[in-house]
Short mmCIF file of all heavy atoms in Angstrom, two decimals:
data_model
loop_
_atom_site.label_atom_id
_atom_site.label_comp_id
_atom_site.label_asym_id
_atom_site.label_seq_id
_atom_site.Cartn_x
_atom_site.Cartn_y
_atom_site.Cartn_z
N GLU A 61 87.36 54.38 18.62
CA GLU A 61 87.46 54.72 20.03
C GLU A 61 88.79 54.16 20.58
O GLU A 61 89.44 54.89 21.38
CB GLU A 61 86.26 54.13 20.77
CG GLU A 61 84.98 54.97 20.70
CD GLU A 61 83.82 54.27 21.45
OE1 GLU A 61 83.90 53.06 21.79
OE2 GLU A 61 82.90 54.99 21.72
N LYS A 62 89.00 52.94 20.24
CA LYS A 62 90.23 52.29 20.82
C LYS A 62 91.50 53.11 20.32
O LYS A 62 92.40 53.38 21.20
CB LYS A 62 90.41 50.92 20.24
CG LYS A 62 89.87 49.86 21.14
CD LYS A 62 90.02 48.50 20.61
CE LYS A 62 89.00 47.57 21.15
NZ LYS A 62 88.90 46.31 20.49
N GLU A 63 91.55 53.52 19.11
CA GLU A 63 92.61 54.28 18.55
C GLU A 63 92.78 55.61 19.26
O GLU A 63 93.89 55.99 19.57
CB GLU A 63 92.60 54.45 16.99
CG GLU A 63 93.68 55.15 16.33
CD GLU A 63 95.07 54.50 16.71
OE1 GLU A 63 95.10 53.32 17.07
OE2 GLU A 63 96.10 55.30 16.59
N GLU A 64 91.61 56.26 19.44
CA GLU A 64 91.64 57.54 20.13
C GLU A 64 92.26 57.41 21.57
O GLU A 64 93.09 58.19 22.04
CB GLU A 64 90.18 58.06 20.19
CG GLU A 64 90.17 59.55 20.40
CD GLU A 64 88.71 60.02 20.62
OE1 GLU A 64 87.89 59.62 19.79
OE2 GLU A 64 88.46 60.73 21.54
N LYS A 65 91.78 56.39 22.32
CA LYS A 65 92.23 56.11 23.71
C LYS A 65 93.72 55.83 23.70
O LYS A 65 94.55 56.23 24.63
CB LYS A 65 91.50 54.94 24.29
CG LYS A 65 90.29 55.16 25.10
CD LYS A 65 90.50 55.62 26.66
CE LYS A 65 89.95 56.89 26.88
NZ LYS A 65 88.64 57.13 27.36
N ARG A 66 94.12 54.98 22.74
CA ARG A 66 95.54 54.61 22.67
C ARG A 66 96.40 55.87 22.48
O ARG A 66 97.46 56.04 23.12
CB ARG A 66 95.68 53.71 21.37
CG ARG A 66 96.91 52.78 21.42
CD ARG A 66 97.21 52.18 20.08
NE ARG A 66 97.71 53.14 19.14
CZ ARG A 66 98.89 53.48 18.92
NH1 ARG A 66 99.84 52.83 19.69
NH2 ARG A 66 99.28 54.36 18.17
N LYS A 67 95.97 56.78 21.59
CA LYS A 67 96.75 57.97 21.35
C LYS A 67 96.77 58.83 22.71
O LYS A 67 97.73 59.47 23.00
CB LYS A 67 96.12 58.87 20.34
CG LYS A 67 96.45 58.37 18.87
CD LYS A 67 95.91 59.28 17.87
CE LYS A 67 96.27 58.72 16.51
NZ LYS A 67 95.30 59.25 15.46
N PHE A 68 95.65 58.87 23.37
CA PHE A 68 95.61 59.61 24.66
C PHE A 68 96.55 59.04 25.60
O PHE A 68 97.27 59.76 26.31
CB PHE A 68 94.12 59.63 25.20
CG PHE A 68 94.04 60.29 26.55
CD1 PHE A 68 94.23 61.71 26.57
CD2 PHE A 68 93.87 59.61 27.72
CE1 PHE A 68 94.21 62.34 27.81
CE2 PHE A 68 93.88 60.29 28.98
CZ PHE A 68 93.97 61.65 28.99
N ILE A 69 96.63 57.70 25.72
CA ILE A 69 97.59 57.06 26.63
C ILE A 69 99.00 57.49 26.37
O ILE A 69 99.80 57.77 27.24
CB ILE A 69 97.38 55.54 26.74
CG1 ILE A 69 95.99 55.22 27.35
CG2 ILE A 69 98.57 54.84 27.41
CD1 ILE A 69 95.69 53.79 27.35
N VAL A 70 99.34 57.56 25.07
CA VAL A 70 100.65 58.04 24.67
C VAL A 70 100.92 59.43 25.17
O VAL A 70 101.93 59.78 25.73
CB VAL A 70 100.89 57.93 23.11
CG1 VAL A 70 102.18 58.50 22.67
CG2 VAL A 70 100.70 56.53 22.62
N GLU A 71 99.96 60.27 24.96
CA GLU A 71 100.08 61.68 25.42
C GLU A 71 100.23 61.78 26.96
O GLU A 71 101.10 62.48 27.57
CB GLU A 71 98.82 62.47 25.05
CG GLU A 71 98.83 63.01 23.63
CD GLU A 71 100.07 63.82 23.31
OE1 GLU A 71 100.28 64.87 23.97
OE2 GLU A 71 100.81 63.33 22.40
N LEU A 72 99.45 60.94 27.60
CA LEU A 72 99.39 60.97 29.07
C LEU A 72 100.75 60.47 29.67
O LEU A 72 101.21 60.98 30.67
CB LEU A 72 98.27 59.90 29.57
CG LEU A 72 98.08 59.81 31.10
CD1 LEU A 72 97.57 61.12 31.61
CD2 LEU A 72 97.13 58.68 31.38
N SER A 73 101.44 59.61 28.97
CA SER A 73 102.71 59.07 29.49
C SER A 73 103.87 60.03 29.31
O SER A 73 104.92 59.90 29.89
CB SER A 73 103.03 57.73 28.71
OG SER A 73 103.43 58.00 27.40
N LYS A 74 103.75 61.12 28.53
CA LYS A 74 104.86 62.07 28.37
C LYS A 74 105.17 62.76 29.54
O LYS A 74 104.34 63.33 30.24
CB LYS A 74 104.46 63.03 27.22
CG LYS A 74 104.44 62.52 25.88
CD LYS A 74 104.16 63.59 24.79
CE LYS A 74 104.05 63.00 23.42
NZ LYS A 74 103.49 64.00 22.49
N TRP A 75 106.49 62.89 29.84
CA TRP A 75 107.01 63.62 31.03
C TRP A 75 106.49 65.05 30.95
O TRP A 75 106.08 65.62 31.99
CB TRP A 75 108.50 63.54 30.95
CG TRP A 75 109.01 64.59 32.00
CD1 TRP A 75 109.69 65.75 31.77
CD2 TRP A 75 109.08 64.42 33.46
NE1 TRP A 75 110.05 66.46 32.95
CE2 TRP A 75 109.70 65.65 34.00
CE3 TRP A 75 108.70 63.39 34.30
CZ2 TRP A 75 109.84 65.75 35.32
CZ3 TRP A 75 108.88 63.65 35.70
CH2 TRP A 75 109.41 64.77 36.19
N GLU A 76 106.42 65.72 29.82
CA GLU A 76 105.99 67.07 29.73
C GLU A 76 104.58 67.28 30.21
O GLU A 76 104.12 68.37 30.50
CB GLU A 76 106.16 67.64 28.25
CG GLU A 76 107.58 67.58 27.69
CD GLU A 76 107.67 66.17 26.98
OE1 GLU A 76 107.03 65.86 25.98
OE2 GLU A 76 108.38 65.33 27.62
N ASN A 77 103.83 66.27 30.13
CA ASN A 77 102.41 66.30 30.48
C ASN A 77 102.13 65.99 31.97
O ASN A 77 101.00 65.91 32.43
CB ASN A 77 101.54 65.44 29.56
CG ASN A 77 101.48 66.10 28.13
OD1 ASN A 77 101.75 67.23 28.00
ND2 ASN A 77 101.22 65.27 27.17
N SER A 78 103.24 65.74 32.67
CA SER A 78 103.06 65.28 34.11
C SER A 78 102.31 66.25 34.90
O SER A 78 101.54 65.89 35.81
CB SER A 78 104.43 65.06 34.79
OG SER A 78 105.25 64.20 34.05
N LEU A 79 102.53 67.55 34.56
CA LEU A 79 101.83 68.55 35.39
C LEU A 79 100.91 69.45 34.49
O LEU A 79 100.51 70.51 34.89
CB LEU A 79 102.91 69.55 35.98
CG LEU A 79 103.90 68.94 37.03
CD1 LEU A 79 104.96 69.86 37.38
CD2 LEU A 79 103.08 68.41 38.29
N LYS A 80 100.63 68.87 33.33
CA LYS A 80 99.81 69.64 32.40
C LYS A 80 98.35 69.28 32.76
O LYS A 80 97.85 68.21 32.63
CB LYS A 80 100.06 69.19 30.97
CG LYS A 80 99.69 70.34 29.99
CD LYS A 80 100.24 69.92 28.67
CE LYS A 80 99.83 70.99 27.64
NZ LYS A 80 100.07 70.55 26.21
N SER A 81 97.71 70.33 33.29
CA SER A 81 96.45 70.10 33.93
C SER A 81 95.35 69.44 33.02
O SER A 81 94.59 68.57 33.39
CB SER A 81 95.84 71.31 34.64
OG SER A 81 95.81 72.39 33.64
#
Side-chain angles (χ1 to χ4, degrees):
E61 279 175 344
K62 266 183 207 168
E63 184 51 26
E64 201 186 312
K65 264 281 122 86
R66 202 192 72 87
K67 279 185 185 157
F68 176 70
I69 290 175
V70 174
E71 279 306 300
L72 182 67
S73 72
K74 287 183 184 168
W75 168 257
E76 305 84 73
N77 290 337
S78 305
L79 296 173
K80 207 171 176 192
S81 55

